[in-house]
């Protein structure tokens, strides 16, 4: 049973930074893609960034390119999302997810396992 636990959310001012963490347990992870998604009130959950656990290959949503960085620490079984230059429109619940795949995908329904989410609020 794969388990994902996020942390690191909070309240930050426009232009500030936060680093989210997602500790992963319950699998070997070698054929996983790890993704970060977010859901703002009244909106659908959307893709933010993803990384292939083995290769480190990454993809980003256009809205966060150049501001967010996804990374992983194999020794700690942890995936990170470093968020810089935050904007009010980045306010959402951020979810970590795992997709048992050999191809990095960005669709919400393609991910098999989800964390409980962590709130990120950016004040203007």
């Amino acid at each position: 049973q794969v388990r994902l636990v996020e942390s690191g959310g909070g309240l930050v001012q426009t232009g500030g930074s936060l680093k989210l963490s997602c500790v992963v347990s319950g699998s070997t992870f070698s054929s996983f893609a790890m993704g970060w998604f977010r859901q703002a009130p009244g909106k659908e959950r959307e893709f933010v960034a993803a990384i292939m656990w083995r290769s480190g290959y990454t993809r980003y949503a256009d809205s966060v390119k150049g501001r967010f960085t996804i990374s992983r620490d194999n020794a700690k079984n942890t995936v990170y999302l470093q968020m810089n230059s935050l904007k009010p429109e980045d306010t959402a619940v951020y979810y970590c997810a795992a997709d048992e795949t050999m191809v990095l995908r960005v669709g919400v329904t393609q991910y098999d396992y989800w964390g409980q989410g962590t709130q990120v609020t950016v004040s203007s």
Side-chain angles (χ1 to χ4, degrees), residues 37-72:
F37 294 78
R38 66 187 181 187
Q39 188 166 17
K43 295 188 176 181
E44 294 186 352
R45 194 168 298 188
E46 64 176 6
F47 169 75
V48 175
I51 186 168
M52 290 303 298
W53 194 276
R54 177 182 292 177
S55 68
Y57 176 73
T58 60
R59 285 184 67 178
Y60 295 91
D62 288 343
S63 59
V64 306
K65 279 181 183 176
R67 299 189 299 123
F68 291 11
T69 303
I70 188 170
S71 62
R72 86 266 193 250

Side-chain angles (χ1 to χ4, degrees), residues 11-96:
L11 173 64
V12 65
Q13 291 186 334
T14 296
S17 298
L18 282 175
K19 187 174 185 177
L20 306 183
S21 300
C22 174
V23 178
V24 189
S25 61
S27 178
T28 58
F29 318 125
S30 60
S31 60
F32 273 76
M34 299 300 302
W36 285 98
F37 294 78
R38 66 187 181 187
Q39 188 166 17
K43 295 188 176 181
E44 294 186 352
R45 194 168 298 188
E46 64 176 6
F47 169 75
V48 175
I51 186 168
M52 290 303 298
W53 194 276
R54 177 182 292 177
S55 68
Y57 176 73
T58 60
R59 285 184 67 178
Y60 295 91
D62 288 343
S63 59
V64 306
K65 279 181 183 176
R67 299 189 299 123
F68 291 11
T69 303
I70 188 170
S71 62
R72 86 266 193 250
D73 184 327
N74 291 352
K76 295 182 178 180
N77 288 343
T78 301
V79 177
Y80 303 99
L81 185 68
Q82 176 67 48
M83 305 185 295
N84 299 328
S85 302
L86 283 161
K87 306 174 182 179
E89 51 263 45
D90 294 318
T91 295
V93 177
Y94 282 71
Y95 296 91
C96 176

